[in-house]
Amino acid sequence: MAPGNARSGPRQGQKGPDLKRFMDKRLRLSLNGNRKVVGTLRGYDAFLNVVLEETIDDLNKDEIGTIVIRGNSISQFETLERLDRK
């Protein structure tokens, strides 16, 4: 497999996603299978795996709690709060 493709993650020496400005913000994530969740971003890694707290299933409004979502399951994310300009 070629370096840097979806299965192997970021290339060596290349940084992962910069989500620092989204930390502690409410996000809506669209996932595979037409699922959507809303939660507060508490952590992430170079593969875009994320940790959300106070998470709610956006379709049926069920409370989920704290979850970890694999980066390859995320198709889109949006912030529900204003971001600070830098």
Side-chain angles (χ1 to χ4, degrees), residues 16-17 19 43-50:
L19 300 179
Y44 65 94
D45 66 10
F47 298 98
L48 198 61
N49 299 321
V50 298

Side-chain angles (χ1 to χ4, degrees), residues 15-71:
K15 294 182 182 178
D18 184 18
L19 300 179
K20 285 182 213 154
R21 64 189 187 144
F22 297 102
M23 289 295 292
D24 302 320
K25 302 286 189 220
R26 295 288 289 171
L27 301 176
R28 176 179 291 123
L29 277 68
S30 299
L31 309 174
N32 293 343
N34 292 327
R35 296 196 62 184
K36 293 183 189 210
V37 294
V38 174
T40 304
L41 181 65
R42 295 295 186 207
Y44 65 94
D45 66 10
F47 298 98
L48 198 61
N49 299 321
V50 298
V51 177
L52 296 179
E53 281 186 347
E54 302 171 2
T55 308
I56 298 171
D57 184 330
D58 203 31
L59 297 177
N60 55 20
K61 306 302 181 200
D62 287 338
E63 292 185 24
I64 301 172
T66 301
I67 61 173
V68 177
I69 301 174
R70 278 186 69 168

